[in-house]
Amino acid sequence: MKPIFTERSDGSWMPGEYARGPYKGVQGGAVAALMSAAIEDVYPGFIASVSTHYLKTTPIAPLRVVVTPLRLGRRVSVIDAELFAPEGRVAVQRATLIAPNEDPDLPTPPDRPVRPEAMPVQSRVAPHGGVWFMDTMDVRLADDSVLWFRQIRPIQTPASVIGRVLAVADWAHGVVPPMGSFCRPLVAIPNADLSVHLVRAPRGEWIGLDAATAWSTASIGAGWAMLHDAEGPLGRVAMSIAITRLPEPVA
């Protein structure tokens, strides 16, 4: 299956139609995944935290990632990435990499295996009516309201471990959207940033979101979620939301 992003001969990446989000441009999770994959490709270590800021809409156009080390340590490193579209910089990202130091005697939370593939299938249609990033995933809903995602169309080749997590994490504020899915007034809920903290890499294909949101009358919201794989907890995601009122449809 063709990946969502295709690398061009000049080293830039071209997003395909499945990279689209619910609004204009590339889905935020796809943007974050592309940038973190560039970091993973150059610097060793596990990306334990990554924060992405969306400066403007990322267009369906050739994209270029520039990676810069801020600090290279023996165990902890901090790496910056910038994403450029033809009109200029559209997103920035900062990642903390920690070199693993295995300690089998360190106590960790117990695993609680689940089987997402046995859960009911969920599907969500893009507001614009076309294909979008959600269509690249198998989505299942558990009885405890945790939503599970499995990437069925690769984001890019070669595949990125952290990219797969970010692709799911960016949906956290949309799983339980501010004021509900069918609220009045109608609102858009673009997230201005995306911050993820992980304790380990995911094992297996499935990543789960146990999500929640909050908001104020200042039209400022927040979304967050616990991240899981089918064996147990992975970490946490959070984002800020610029709630924007939409015009009511004409009767």
Side-chain angles (χ1 to χ4, degrees):
M1 189 174 290
K2 186 178 178 181
I4 298 166
F5 292 99
T6 304
E7 189 171 16
R8 292 156 48 103
S9 59
D10 62 358
S12 65
W13 293 89
M14 186 66 198
E17 59 180 349
Y18 284 97
R20 295 184 64 189
Y23 314 115
K24 181 181 179 181
V26 179
Q27 168 73 22
V31 169
L34 181 66
M35 299 172 74
S36 65
I39 293 175
E40 273 188 325
D41 190 47
V42 177
Y43 295 99
F46 173 69
I47 296 182
S49 72
V50 57
S51 294
T52 307
H53 292 265
Y54 307 109
L55 307 182
K56 58 179 67 175
T57 300
T58 299
I60 305 293
L63 304 172
R64 182 169 55 91
V65 184
V66 176
V67 175
T68 306
L70 188 64
R71 177 187 185 273
L72 295 176
R74 286 182 296 178
R75 184 148 189 234
V76 177
S77 298
V78 181
I79 312 297
D80 285 350
E82 297 175 285
L83 184 67
F84 292 88
E87 67 270 26
R89 186 172 58 179
V90 295
V92 294
Q93 185 178 86
R94 176 163 291 178
T96 300
L97 281 68
I98 302 178
N101 184 17
E102 294 296 333
D103 184 350
D105 296 325
L106 191 67
T108 58
D111 292 343
R112 296 178 180 177
V114 296
R115 295 183 59 245
E117 64 275 8
M119 300 172 184
V121 175
Q122 300 292 301
S123 61
R124 301 195 180 194
V125 178
H128 50 68
V131 298
W132 65 325
F133 196 43
M134 183 71 82
D135 295 331
T136 71
M137 301 177 181
D138 180 2
V139 185
R140 308 294 178 109
L141 181 62
D143 291 339
D144 58 4
S145 297
V146 174
L147 205 60
W148 290 89
F149 297 79
R150 180 175 66 91
Q151 196 78 40
I152 54 177
R153 180 182 291 269
I155 298 171
Q156 62 197 109
T157 304
S160 163
V161 175
I162 186 65
R164 190 160 59 87
V165 175
L166 292 172
V168 172
D170 191 67
W171 295 109
H173 69 307
V175 174
V176 186
M179 296 171 285
S181 300
F182 305 102
C183 67
R184 289 291 185 271
L186 293 173
V187 296
I189 53 169
N191 54 307
D193 52 47
L194 178 70
S195 295
V196 172
H197 290 79
L198 299 175
V199 298
R200 61 173 174 83
R203 294 189 285 264
E205 297 182 301
W206 293 94
I207 296 174
L209 287 177
D210 187 0
T213 56
W215 60 92
S216 71
T217 56
S219 299
I220 299 172
W224 61 91
M226 283 293 296
L227 294 164
H228 304 262
D229 63 12
E231 296 182 21
L234 290 178
R236 180 173 285 273
V237 55
M239 66 270 285
S240 53
I241 310 169
I243 299 172
T244 305
R245 186 182 290 224
L246 297 174
E248 292 285 344
V250 177

